[in-house]
Amino acid sequence: MALHLKDRTLLDAERPFAELLGRPGVTEVLQLRSRFGFMAFHGGWLEEVTDDIATAAAERSGASVYACLQGPDDQWHLPSHCFDPTDSPVLRQFLDHVDVVVAVHGFGSPRLLRAVLLGGRNRTLASHVAVHLIGRLPHYEILHRLDDIPRSLAGQHPRNPCNLPREGGVQIELPPRIRGKSPMWTGFRGSGRVPHHEALIEGLAAAARAWSPTDGLAGDSRELVPEPSLAG
């Protein structure tokens, strides 16, 4: 398993996403359903379990889903704004179909072990998702104000795929423990997903089911970080 964090081979390419899609073991997943979408473009073995969360939430809510999956041998962490839909007809089809999207990511920070971060430019949707997660995830702090989210994880870059649908979207950043990737789950004997993982999926699915197209009319009231420090 090789995680190429300092290797700039792809970043220095003219079309990084196209280069990534040409790598062995990289695949795309697309299911078109409703105009509400979920994404996991750092999925597979890169930000583990994010594609499972996005896919399961989409299935339970009748939402659409797009994922880009990387295999077990090579993982390239491209910044989100490098995922250019002009390099992928599959991603372009997804973004043309949905009105709003929740992009699922994983992160790790010793200071934020119990934090779920709701970035992205559609702040109405961020608040809506927060409402459906807070009661289901009492062991976590659901941060949905941009002032509380590290700028590098705020999802404010205009080319970040979570901001490209007609009404924009939300970038949700998840710590390891909620994805079942923490030592706290060592020895877990339950069947299937760990409880926090399951509760998260149900909360996201509930948010998608409860979202009305008219809710998106408020999506243009977007809280932004200053342009010079746009985060991916």
Side-chain angles (χ1 to χ4, degrees):
M1 177 174 177
L3 177 57
H4 302 282
L5 288 177
K6 296 183 179 180
D7 188 334
R8 294 190 57 86
T9 301
L10 294 191
L11 285 176
D12 290 338
E14 183 177 352
R15 298 165 58 200
F17 186 29
E19 291 284 334
L20 176 67
L21 290 175
R23 295 275 166 167
V26 177
T27 59
E28 293 178 285
V29 173
L30 175 67
Q31 291 287 338
L32 297 180
R33 301 184 185 97
S34 75
R35 297 285 184 177
F36 194 109
F38 288 96
M39 306 180 77
F41 50 84
H42 284 155
W45 288 71
L46 181 57
E47 295 177 357
E48 294 179 85
V49 189
T50 57
D51 53 286
D52 174 66
I53 292 165
T55 300
E59 289 175 350
R60 295 185 192 185
S61 61
S64 299
V65 64
Y66 168 85
C68 181
L69 311 180
Q70 298 191 42
D73 299 323
D74 259 343
Q75 295 89 47
W76 299 84
H77 193 280
L78 290 182
S80 296
H81 67 267
C82 290
F83 285 78
D84 188 340
T86 62
D87 290 330
S88 167
V90 180
L91 177 56
R92 179 75 273 165
Q93 186 180 4
F94 172 79
L95 293 172
D96 286 345
H97 178 78
V98 298
D99 292 328
V100 295
V101 71
V102 173
V104 183
H105 291 265
F107 81 106
S109 169
R111 297 185 300 105
L112 296 169
L113 291 175
R114 298 185 180 184
V116 172
L117 315 179
L118 297 175
R121 289 192 162 197
N122 190 322
R123 306 314 302 159
T124 301
L125 179 58
S127 297
H128 173 84
V129 172
V131 166
H132 289 273
L133 294 184
I134 289 171
R136 290 177 170 87
L137 298 170
H139 302 293
Y140 295 85
E141 187 176 11
I142 312 300
L143 302 181
H144 60 96
R145 286 176 42 83
L146 287 180
D147 288 345
D148 298 329
I149 299 173
R151 294 164 90 104
S152 62
L153 298 171
Q156 295 298 296
H157 198 292
R159 294 197 303 275
N160 186 321
C162 80
N163 298 320
L164 294 181
R166 283 176 284 278
E167 295 168 10
V170 166
Q171 175 173 296
I172 182 168
E173 294 277 359
L174 304 169
R177 68 172 57 188
I178 203 169
R179 292 179 280 136
K181 307 305 293 185
S182 164
M184 73 172 287
W185 298 114
T186 300
F188 174 69
R189 294 291 183 266
S191 60
R193 303 176 178 98
V194 301
H196 296 181
H197 183 177
E198 180 64 32
L200 168 68
I201 291 172
E202 186 50 43
L204 291 174
R209 291 192 297 264
W211 180 259
S212 166
T214 58
D215 295 334
L217 297 177
D220 288 333
S221 177
R222 299 176 186 179
E223 181 185 353
L224 306 180
V225 296
E227 289 289 333
S229 298
L230 286 170

